[in-house]
Amino acid sequence: MKWSVVIVLAMALLFSSCGEYNRIVKCTDYEYKYEVAKAYYMSGKYSKAATLLEELITIMKGTDKAEESLFMLGMTYFSQEDYTTSSHYFTTYYNTYPRGTYAELSRFNAGRALFLDSPEPRLDQSGTYAAIQELQLFMEYYPLSDKKDDAQEMIFQLQDKLVWKDYYAAKLYYDLGNYMGNNYLSCVVTAQNALKDYPYTALREDLSILILRARYQMAVQSVYEKQQERYRETVDEYYAFTNEFPDSKYKKEADEIFENSRKNIKE
């Protein structure tokens, strides 16, 4: 039977009964099952396609059909928005077929799936780091890829999440103040590390004002012996802040911190 005829029959099966689908699942004509799986995939019936492809990637191992089946399997889960499983199969593909037809696309899609699965900034960011690593590896393997710019843009967006995570952490330390320790210092360190790791972040001004606020509060709430030093550190921080952000949205607040700090410094 010519495979074109098989494809036509497979397309017809898309509109058949559930019982007919169960018959296909049990079918041992794997060439036919492969064509049916492709038909399901092409028509957007991804769950049914995945069930058949899960079996075919093992049964047809060592053939070009197994390779294509593995890639399609990754795509079926991607299309169902099961990005974790999708990334797993794309990773399996490029590790199994490093020079395969879909190797470049699988590396890209593995990173893209993790990017789409990345949690919002307030949550644990392990998935975000994994997505960045996957996309960076894609760019290293395929530096001339036409998808390089897309990968880089996703990395930038993922890094923004990490900066927001650090910002929320620094803000929380500031809000905790001296509760069970010097949380102002933790605020300064966290914000400084974020600025060091992501120097071009859009949150640079917001992180910098947190540092200035925290240094001022450390001075205000210090024991007498440390106040002079910490007020001077606050003034130094003010100069650094205003030099970088002369028209800052926080200028009025920064100026007030400066004036209060300067008044408390004994010459």
Side-chain angles (χ1 to χ4, degrees), residues 1-3 5-13 16 20 23-25 27-40 52 56 60 65:
M1 182 183 292
K2 293 183 178 180
W3 291 121
V5 176
V6 174
I7 294 175
V8 172
L9 291 174
M11 292 299 292
L13 288 171
S16 63
E20 188 64 22
R23 185 187 68 78
I24 295 168
V25 171
C27 176
T28 57
D29 184 343
Y30 298 110
E31 294 286 349
Y32 177 69
K33 185 178 285 188
Y34 167 75
E35 296 298 339
V36 174
K38 287 180 67 173
Y40 277 131
L52 302 180
L56 290 170
M60 306 187 86
K65 290 183 175 61

Side-chain angles (χ1 to χ4, degrees), residues 16 31 48 121 126 179 197 254:
S16 63
E31 294 286 349
K48 289 183 177 180
S126 299
Y179 177 72
D197 292 339

Side-chain angles (χ1 to χ4, degrees), residues 7 25 90 133 137 168 179:
I7 294 175
V25 171
F90 286 132
Q133 182 179 34
L137 285 172
Y168 289 137
Y179 177 72

Side-chain angles (χ1 to χ4, degrees), residues 5 10 20 31 55 66 76 106 119 122 128-129 132-133 152 154 165 187-188 190 196 202-204 214 217 223 237 254:
V5 176
E20 188 64 22
E31 294 286 349
E55 178 186 16
T76 61
S106 288
R122 293 182 187 274
T128 300
Y129 285 110
I132 290 173
Q133 182 179 34
Q152 185 63 73
M154 284 188 280
K165 177 74 171 179
C187 171
V188 170
T190 300
K196 180 180 178 181
L203 287 174
R204 187 170 182 85
Q217 289 301 324
V223 295
E237 198 68 52

Side-chain angles (χ1 to χ4, degrees), residues 6-7 9 13 20 36 43 55 60 78 82 93 95 98 120 139 143 169 171 175 178-179 183 185 201 215 228-229 239:
V6 174
I7 294 175
L9 291 174
L13 288 171
E20 188 64 22
V36 174
S43 65
E55 178 186 16
M60 306 187 86
F78 187 91
D82 183 348
Y93 178 95
N95 283 328
E120 65 98 5
M139 294 175 66
K171 182 67 166 58
D175 291 341
N178 285 322
Y179 177 72
N183 292 297
L185 180 59
T201 175
R215 286 205 181 281
Q228 290 298 297
E229 177 187 358
Y239 285 131

